[in-house]
Amino acid sequence: MKIAVLKEAAAGERRVSATPETVKKFVALGAEVAVEANAGLDASIADQAYADMGAAIGDRAGTLKDADIVLGVQGPDPASLKGAKPGAWIVAGLNPFGERARVDAYASGGFEALAMEFMPRITRAQSMDILSSQSNLSGYKAVLDAAAEYGRAFPMMMTAAGTVSAAKVFVMGVGVAGLQAIATARRLGAQVSATDVRAATREQILSLGAKPIFVEAVQGIEGEGTGGYATEMSDEYKAAQAELVSAHIAKQDIVVTTALIPGRPAPRLISDAQVATMKPGSVIVDLAVEAGGNVEGAVAGEIVERHGVKIVGHRNVPSRLATDASALFARNLFNFLSAFWDKEQGRPVLDEEIGNAIRLTQGGKVVHERLLG
């Protein structure tokens, strides 16, 4: 059973899909592991560290030759996969909705593409969930990015020269990224408030010492979609939320937005008019900028200034913490493959619940129901 670990080709991608730790574990399972030269360089992992754990280091062609499983952070170019076995698994974050043509190419190439971001949110799959592991780091980094752009201190400081007021931070969207953003801002000494369309998050916000900001006037709208994700809200709720947010946002120094809806453009949470109500020198970090953005005027890959407010729109935020992000991502992939490892066959064998949830292509066809509808 040969597992190939590729060097990421996407612009700005610094993560790697395996670490020396996970290579050692794969070898212990009886797998042969091949790592493309310099695959871990941007994540501060030298080729020798992989070799010391039993991996073969080589060029892309040698790494892919007769590979049964190909690991990646982002989906590799189908044209670059020559040499892998027919029916080889492609295990990575595949962005199925944004890169549909690539999914079709995996099918026509005879590969079995497994999209790790489609991992079901069930208890036994928590350790395999790349969205959670990477979002956790994104929420942390978002607050650090905000602090770097904010021209003032976060904590309250009482000095002989006078008192410095604590920064006011507002987190919009309390998923994994939002919760970590709240915790990080609190550690830095900010006054933190947060909101979400899911009523169940109120207790989580309070447990982290932040103030929940919720629409109270509109009853019976919970915002809870399938699998623990948020869902699209009614127009009535959106109007009530916009009114509430407008009043609150004008008083904030920093806003972090994290709202995403799988398979759809990110919901617009902050309008240009609302940005204009914020104080000059305020900062907004839009973690959904690559999905269309929560903030009007946000630009993917740029820090722009509107009405004296900086709007931070970094791409691929987990990659900005490449070493830790790689370690967590690699463990997600190992936890996934090892959970289904059949010792007699010497390879992983998927069950229906998780296999059907993440399998995009098989037998030369696109098979996932979310891509067929």
Side-chain angles (χ1 to χ4, degrees):
M1 187 71 197
K2 181 177 178 179
I3 299 174
V5 179
L6 301 183
K7 178 175 173 58
E8 296 298 312
E13 183 55 78
R14 300 175 62 233
R15 293 171 292 176
V16 63
S17 56
T19 61
E21 173 198 352
T22 61
V23 165
K24 181 180 180 180
K25 291 178 178 178
F26 280 127
V27 171
L29 289 175
E32 174 190 345
V33 183
V35 178
E36 186 176 354
N38 297 325
L41 207 57
D42 289 338
S44 306
I45 304 171
D47 286 345
Q48 189 59 47
Y50 289 115
D52 290 344
M53 295 302 169
I57 310 298
D59 60 13
R60 197 175 189 91
T63 301
L64 282 168
K65 186 176 180 353
D66 295 327
D68 299 279
I69 297 175
V70 178
L71 301 184
V73 175
Q74 297 194 41
D77 181 353
S80 72
L81 296 175
K82 293 173 183 174
K85 282 185 180 176
W89 290 6
I90 311 299
V91 184
L94 299 181
N95 188 14
F97 299 113
E99 297 283 354
R100 178 56 198 270
R102 187 170 66 191
V103 174
D104 292 339
Y106 290 143
S108 61
F111 299 111
E112 188 165 326
L114 304 176
M116 290 297 291
E117 62 266 64
F118 277 5
M119 189 65 64
R121 291 205 159 171
I122 55 178
T123 302
R124 68 190 182 99
Q126 284 181 342
S127 66
M128 313 170 193
D129 185 355
I130 64 168
L131 292 181
S132 291
S133 74
Q134 303 303 290
S135 294
N136 191 49
L137 289 169
S138 293
Y140 165 77
K141 186 62 172 171
V143 174
L144 297 191
D145 286 337
E149 298 300 330
Y150 185 53
R152 299 165 64 184
F154 260 54
M156 182 179 79
M157 297 181 185
M158 300 181 71
T159 75
T163 300
V164 173
S165 299
K168 293 179 179 177
V169 176
F170 182 38
V171 178
M172 302 183 71
V174 189
V176 174
L179 289 170
Q180 185 57 250
I182 292 169
T184 303
R186 287 277 297 155
R187 288 188 200 108
L188 290 176
Q191 288 183 13
V192 186
S193 57
T195 191
D196 195 285
V197 297
R198 295 165 296 171
T201 60
R202 181 190 294 269
E203 290 181 10
Q204 295 171 308
I205 294 167
L206 287 168
S207 73
L208 290 171
K211 178 182 178 182
I213 304 295
F214 277 86
V215 173
E216 305 291 353
V218 182
Q219 298 298 321
I221 302 173
E222 299 301 315
E224 190 78 51
T226 58
Y229 293 99
T231 188
E232 192 73 39
M233 305 308 297
S234 70
D235 290 339
E236 183 187 8
Y237 184 95
K238 287 178 183 176
Q241 186 189 43
E243 185 179 347
L244 177 72
V245 166
S246 291
H248 190 67
I249 207 171
K251 307 170 189 172
Q252 305 305 303
D253 301 302
I254 289 163
V255 180
V256 177
T257 68
T258 73
L260 290 166
I261 300 173
R264 304 184 63 172
R268 182 55 48 84
L269 302 182
I270 300 177
S271 68
D272 184 69
Q274 289 170 323
V275 173
T277 67
M278 297 180 72
K279 293 172 285 188
S282 300
V283 177
I284 303 174
V285 180
D286 188 346
L287 283 180
V289 69
E290 291 176 281
N294 296 143
V295 184
E296 185 177 358
V299 179
E302 295 184 22
I303 299 172
V304 297
E305 190 166 318
R306 297 181 68 84
H307 311 293
V309 177
K310 288 184 179 179
I311 304 175
V312 180
H314 291 306
R315 293 181 185 271
N316 195 354
V317 174
S319 188
R320 293 164 57 76
L321 294 165
T323 302
D324 286 333
S326 296
L328 297 182
F329 195 102
R331 285 178 200 143
N332 290 146
L333 297 191
F334 174 78
N335 291 339
F336 163 58
L337 292 171
S338 63
F340 295 102
W341 202 270
D342 186 303
K343 291 183 180 179
E344 291 182 5
Q345 296 188 45
R347 61 171 295 135
V349 179
L350 300 184
D351 65 11
E352 281 192 13
E353 184 177 30
I354 287 180
N356 291 346
I358 67 172
R359 186 183 296 109
L360 305 182
T361 64
Q362 190 177 42
K365 297 178 181 178
V366 175
V367 296
H368 201 285
E369 60 181 15
R370 291 171 72 183
L371 297 179
L372 295 174

